[in-house]
Amino acid sequence: MGVDGRNRGEGEGELLADRQAEIDAAARALRAGELVILPTETVYGLGADAANPAAVTAIFEAKGRPRFNPLIAHVADLATAACIARLDDRAWALAREFWPGPLTIVAPIQDTAAVCDLARAGLDTVAIRVPGHPLSRAVLEAFGGAVVAPSANRSGRPSPTTFADAMAETGDKTAAALDGGPCAVGLESTVVSVIDGQVRLLRPGAVTRVQLQQIVGPLAEAEDDAKRSPGRLALHYAPDAPVRINARAPKPGEAFLAFGGGASGEGVFNLSPTGDLAEAAANLFAYLRAADRTHPSAIAVAPIPEDGLGEAINDRLRRAAGYIG
């Protein structure tokens, strides 16, 4: 498994063949305008036909999600993406490097019928990606179109990174659900806009700022394009308990998300005892949920370095704490 979270292996074809009935059932549900739970390498998604406004409305209702927040359209391959969005040379370079994988590209919309106005929050752009999980791509291929699939949780809650958590959040709203195992990346995709020759980082994720710059050079400021990205609400990814970040130690009654140092004990959930940022990212949402289930007065979180993947982890933590918009 690489840093991009793509699932590879000699048995992949056999795995998909064994699950063809599930894949076909999910594709049929999508065509019927119903919702499905899909595994990706980032988090579990709640999927619907991107072209069907009624199906997209059902996602908003299931999640309780504000309609001004755009959704990401998932497609099976780069060729399909290029039919839906206008991808310039820089967008093509990023797509060839990081797809399939945890990168979403926001670009001008080309085929407005493929991703309806509601899914795009009325914008003239579309957020699109090719996911790295083989099961989700198999469903997309069987379906034959774009599928919007925000995280399969109620709006504002931590994103589900296990099938059980996805089912507990929105499973009762779906007609089909595929168990793809624990998510390899554990954070939502990196989101960049590529418009008028400018590349802007709208949401950090597993594809880091440095990796992006290695492909397209310096990034432009992102302030004007922030509305084009999902996951930008001030209070987002939040458990029921309040979140206190950059905490050196928990207060009485608090659960503690530790990082490094071998911290352990009752109410302590160590994101990575060895201080590994990739491990911490993969554990973040699952541990927020686990800590929340202990009914603490608050969830204290140890400081996380800002370098590399730490930028994405801290972005999610600040939003869980309601610190940024």
Side-chain angles (χ1 to χ4, degrees):
M1 186 73 67
V3 69
D4 59 4
R6 299 174 206 179
N7 292 317
R8 302 183 180 94
E10 294 179 0
E12 183 177 302
E14 290 81 357
L15 166 69
L16 296 179
D18 289 344
R19 305 190 66 176
Q20 194 60 50
E22 293 177 81
I23 292 165
D24 292 342
R28 285 195 302 271
L30 290 167
R31 292 189 201 101
E34 296 176 304
L35 305 184
V36 302
I37 285 178
L38 294 174
T40 79
E41 74 281 19
T42 56
V43 300
Y44 274 82
L46 183 64
D49 180 358
N52 184 338
V56 175
T57 297
I59 282 185
F60 288 122
E61 291 174 347
K63 286 178 61 69
R65 183 180 178 126
R67 283 170 170 76
F68 55 79
N69 205 5
L71 304 178
I72 295 172
H74 298 71
V75 294
D77 50 46
L78 176 50
T80 304
C83 292
I84 295 172
R86 292 202 303 274
L87 303 177
D88 65 14
D89 290 346
R90 287 185 156 193
W92 273 95
L94 289 169
R96 283 193 294 264
E97 180 68 22
F98 298 114
W99 283 355
L103 177 70
T104 293
I105 297 174
V106 175
I109 185 69
Q110 180 160 259
D111 183 356
T112 55
V115 181
C116 69
D117 186 73
L118 182 60
R120 292 182 283 109
L123 299 171
D124 59 357
T125 53
V126 62
I128 198 163
R129 87 174 179 107
V130 178
H133 199 293
L135 271 176
S136 58
R137 286 204 312 281
V139 172
L140 291 167
E141 290 169 3
F143 174 62
V147 171
V148 286
S151 54
N153 54 280
R154 288 170 286 126
S155 188
R157 294 271 297 158
S159 301
T161 56
T162 68
F163 182 69
D165 282 341
M167 291 298 292
E169 286 278 342
T170 56
D172 62 337
K173 310 294 186 183
T174 65
L178 282 79
D179 185 350
C183 298
V185 173
L187 290 176
E188 297 83 0
S189 60
T190 301
V191 180
V192 297
S193 67
V194 187
I195 301 170
D196 296 329
Q198 299 293 312
V199 180
R200 295 176 171 86
L201 177 60
L202 306 187
R203 181 178 74 182
V207 178
T208 67
R209 183 184 298 270
V210 170
Q211 289 175 303
L212 295 169
Q213 291 173 332
Q214 288 173 343
I215 304 301
V216 296
L219 307 180
E221 293 296 323
E223 292 180 3
D224 292 340
D225 276 1
K227 67 178 182 180
R228 301 184 185 276
S229 175
R232 305 305 294 173
L233 299 180
L235 185 62
H236 205 94
Y237 317 113
D240 292 331
V243 174
R244 185 169 67 90
I245 59 177
N246 295 319
R248 296 294 175 182
K251 297 177 181 178
E254 289 185 333
F256 186 50
L257 265 60
F259 179 74
S264 61
E266 185 177 356
V268 176
F269 303 83
N270 201 321
L271 294 169
S272 174
T274 62
D276 181 273
L277 289 171
E279 181 182 20
N283 287 332
L284 178 62
F285 290 134
Y287 283 12
L288 274 173
R289 287 177 173 276
D292 206 32
R293 285 193 286 267
T294 68
H295 305 292
S297 60
I299 300 173
V301 186
I304 307 293
E306 281 282 353
D307 56 296
L309 194 51
E311 181 181 12
I313 296 171
N314 282 307
D315 172 82
R316 303 312 192 274
L317 288 170
R318 286 190 290 267
R319 293 181 190 284
Y323 282 175
I324 55 179

